[in-house]
Structures are given as C-alpha cells and as structure tokens.
DNA sequence: TCAAGTGTACTAATACTCGTAGTACACTCA
DNA sequence: TGAGTGTACTACGAGTATTAGTACACTTGA
C-alpha cells in the first residue's frame, strides 16, 4: 500500500498517520471505506500491530477515522472531519511554511497556482455537493 | 528573546530552529546580523550550550546562518539561502498542508488571502531590491 | 453457539534520541 | 594574552518508539 522509511527519524506510527491522511484527503480512501485491520496491515508491513493501533488511534483523535470494536476502522465522512482545533494548527503551520517558501524565492503567484492545482485533487471541504 | 516549551514533545533544539528561522524570515534578524553566542543564549534560556549548538548547526545545514570559529554565528544574506533541496522539501510539505486545509473546509480564496497577508512580512525572495 | 475475525489495552524489554554535565581544542581580537 | 567565540567529544539519565506477548470485548457468519 505504501512504504515506510525505517531509517527515518520520524517515528513509524507518524509516517503511517501522514500517509493514511493523504489517502483520505485525496479520496483514494473514500468516506466510510474500511481500513485494513491492525493485524492485517501489521502483517503486510512487517511491523507490530500495536504500532498500527497507535497510528489508527491518532487518526481517530484527529477525526479522520472512526473505529468499531469487532467490526473495524473506517474513514470518517468528510462532513465529520471538521475539527476547528486541528484547523487552527494547520493554518499556523501553513503560515510558517508559506513565509518560508516566499523567503526562499517562491513568488506568491506560484503559490496561488499550486493551490489551484491541488484544488481538484482534494475531497471533503464544501465543493463536494 | 523567546520562550521554549519544556513539556512539548518537540525537542528543544528543534523549537529553537523554528523560532530562529521565523525571526530570520521576518527579518527581525537581518542579514549578516550576529546571533547570540551559544554560551550566552544557553545562559539566557537556562539550557545546555550543546543544545544551542545543535540548533545552530541545523540552521547552518539548512543555509540560514553561517558560523566563524572565534567570531560567532551570523544570519546568511538572503541571496545565499536559496537552497533548492530545502525548497523542494518545503513545497512538498506545503502541498500536504494546503490539501489538508482545503479538505478541512478552507476555501482556496482564503488561502490566497493568507498568502497576500504574509507577503509583506517576509524578507528575502526577490522583492527586496 | 462458536470460531475467526475485529479493536483495544496492558506489561516488560530493548534500542534510540534528547538533553545534560564536563571537558578540551581551535580561532578571533582588543 | 586573556576573554570571548565556535566546535566536538564522552558518559549518563530520562523519555519515547517499537516490539513481543498476552488478554479482553465485540461482531458476524456458518
């Protein structure tokens, strides 16, 4: 499904969180779609189920998925992912990165073009109707 | 100068890197301005000089500062910070965050407005002339 | 009803990272 | 030449990540 960088300083469970989030945002994983079980994914990636569970718990905390004991873990419908605390931290981080990009020579026009390029590959928001 | 969150999961040296970078980008710290010495800042922040040195080394690796043995550490002139490897990783991270923001309901127009708001508070780039 | 699946949580062990304390060397400059 | 500067190293303790192992609660289909 995806590959992990075992030598990265970034913890394995965080890499999982990042990759699954990308799949949800780009709607490769669709709302209410079931995720692989923690034991299945653990077997596929040759890592411990507890590590998968840790990633899934983080995604649930951030509102991206929901889990049902005995049934599995599923992608949250996008209207349920609205998470104002999360949004505040994303915006804060975005400001830093946008400033850094412009400092490094990227023109505002280029960033605006980037936004338009990404617009069509994102699910959720309010342009799904 | 700034405050650190000793209880954060983010390592102290990384918090330093982030804050100093923000000061450089917003030109609170100006090109060729000297940074506090590692011993001075260590004293001010009540942390170990090796921790400061680690942050300064990271900033130097990323191209934001330069150091001279016996003289000190200085902000790199912005024309020297152009670092295409760094830029590539910033753009990659930006794409992820922009997608996430739109997924969470932020309209492209709002992001574009954010860019315009930030434009005036960034040094470097090519609008300094 | 039960077996196979699911999520969830806990303990304990190991390895890694972070921050510290301490120390020492090379350089600059007034 | 002394006081400042950066730089680098060892060793130690604390915290985190990952693992192995185990066990419990739930779901569902045969």
């Amino acid at each position: 499904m995806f590959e992990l960088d075992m030598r990265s300083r970034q913890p394995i469970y965080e890499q999982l969180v990042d990759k699954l989030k990308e799949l949800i945002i780009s709607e490769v994983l669709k709302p209410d779609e079931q995720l692989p079980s923690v034991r299945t994914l653990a077997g596929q990636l040759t890592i411990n189920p507890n590590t998968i569970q840790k990633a899934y718990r983080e995604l649930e905390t951030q509102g991206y998925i929901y889990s049902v004991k005995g049934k599995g873990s599923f992608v949250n419908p996008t209207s349920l992912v609205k998470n104002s605390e999360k949004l505040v931290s994303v915006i804060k981080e975005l400001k830093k990165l946008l400033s850094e990009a412009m400092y490094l020579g990227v023109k505002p026009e280029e960033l605006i073009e980037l936004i338009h390029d990404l617009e069509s590959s994102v699910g959720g928001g309010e342009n799904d109707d």
Side-chain angles (χ1 to χ4, degrees), chain A residues 33-50:
Chain A
E33 180 169 343
Q34 182 164 1
L35 300 174
S37 79
V38 304
R39 289 174 184 83
T40 300
L41 196 52
Q44 284 171 353
L45 299 177
T46 322
I47 66 181
N48 197 270
N50 290 327

Side-chain angles (χ1 to χ4, degrees), chain A residues 1 4 14 30 33 39 44 47-48 53 61-62 64-65 71 76-77 81 86 107 113 115 118-119 122-123:
Chain A
M1 181 187 253
L4 303 169
E14 279 191 2
K30 300 190 182 340
E33 180 169 343
R39 289 174 184 83
Q44 284 171 353
I47 66 181
N48 197 270
Q53 173 61 21
T61 298
Q62 292 189 30
Y64 285 96
I65 68 171
K71 293 185 70 173
N76 249 329
V81 185
K86 178 65 186 168
K107 294 183 191 319
E113 189 175 337
I115 290 168
L118 293 168
E119 204 176 343
V122 167

Side-chain angles (χ1 to χ4, degrees), chain A residues 7-106:
Chain A
R7 283 167 303 193
S8 174
R9 255 191 76 245
Q10 188 183 20
I12 292 176
Y13 81 92
E14 279 191 2
Q15 293 180 51
L16 273 171
V17 169
D18 284 351
K19 289 184 193 307
L20 285 163
K21 198 187 295 180
E22 281 180 66
L23 294 176
I24 291 167
I25 285 171
S26 60
E27 291 201 333
V28 174
L29 292 173
K30 300 190 182 340
D32 289 312
E33 180 169 343
Q34 182 164 1
L35 300 174
S37 79
V38 304
R39 289 174 184 83
T40 300
L41 196 52
Q44 284 171 353
L45 299 177
T46 322
I47 66 181
N48 197 270
N50 290 327
T51 304
I52 307 292
Q53 173 61 21
K54 185 164 179 172
Y56 278 22
R57 191 163 46 245
E58 178 61 28
L59 283 164
E60 189 162 10
T61 298
Q62 292 189 30
Y64 285 96
I65 68 171
Y66 62 96
S67 301
V68 185
K69 242 186 204 182
K71 293 185 70 173
S73 300
F74 305 84
V75 178
N76 249 329
T78 54
S79 58
L80 293 179
V81 185
K82 302 305 174 284
N83 178 337
S84 65
E85 185 181 331
K86 178 65 186 168
L87 185 53
V88 163
S89 90
V90 166
I91 296 295
K92 184 178 173 187
E93 196 62 32
L94 252 182
K95 284 179 173 176
K96 289 207 282 183
L97 277 173
L98 287 168
S99 297
E100 187 172 7
M102 287 189 275
Y103 180 84
L104 292 171
V106 181

